[in-house]
Amino acid sequence: MRTIYKICPAPAWREAERAGVYRGSPDDVRDGFIHFSTASQVPGTLAKHFAGQADLFLIAVSADALGTALRWEPSRGGDLFPHLYGDLDPAAADNIATLAVGADGLHRLPENLT
């Protein structure tokens, strides 16, 4: 199983759980797909798009569970990033971790990030 990750403000994810669907962030909606990152891409995504932001969740999802709606496309630095063309069922989340922000302003990643 290949795990991919969505960084999401906790209130937005809680709302998605209540609604039974996550349609993405404003940036996702603008771009026409839900942005995900691999484990190795998460630190760069946090630094570029979420620096210093608190109350974030790191949502782990099996890439295989998303089927053909998931595409791997070039993005930052030419790396292939996972993009979901469709809504995400919150029940597809394998794990939800809170991303703490240290005194240095950097996010603390879970030790089991794979």
Side-chain angles (χ1 to χ4, degrees), residues 3-110:
T3 301
I4 57 174
Y5 298 90
K6 177 64 184 167
I7 301 161
C8 183
W13 187 254
R14 288 186 193 111
E15 176 55 33
E17 289 176 323
R18 280 191 287 280
V21 64
Y22 180 71
R23 292 193 168 90
S25 70
D27 288 336
D28 296 331
V29 172
R30 177 199 68 218
D31 293 342
F33 54 84
I34 298 176
H35 294 263
F36 281 85
S37 298
T38 64
S40 64
Q41 294 164 339
V42 165
T45 300
L46 282 167
K48 182 172 182 173
H49 300 287
F50 299 95
Q53 290 184 36
D55 205 18
L56 296 175
F57 285 153
L58 183 65
I59 315 296
V61 177
S62 167
D64 296 338
L66 300 178
T68 59
L70 185 70
R71 300 182 197 153
W72 294 83
E73 299 175 317
S75 189
R76 188 173 62 239
D79 286 346
L80 294 179
F81 278 74
H83 297 152
L84 179 63
Y85 285 83
D87 296 336
L88 177 64
D89 180 347
D94 294 321
N95 189 49
I96 302 167
T98 300
L99 290 171
V101 179
D104 58 3
L106 299 177
H107 293 94
R108 302 294 179 247
L109 296 172

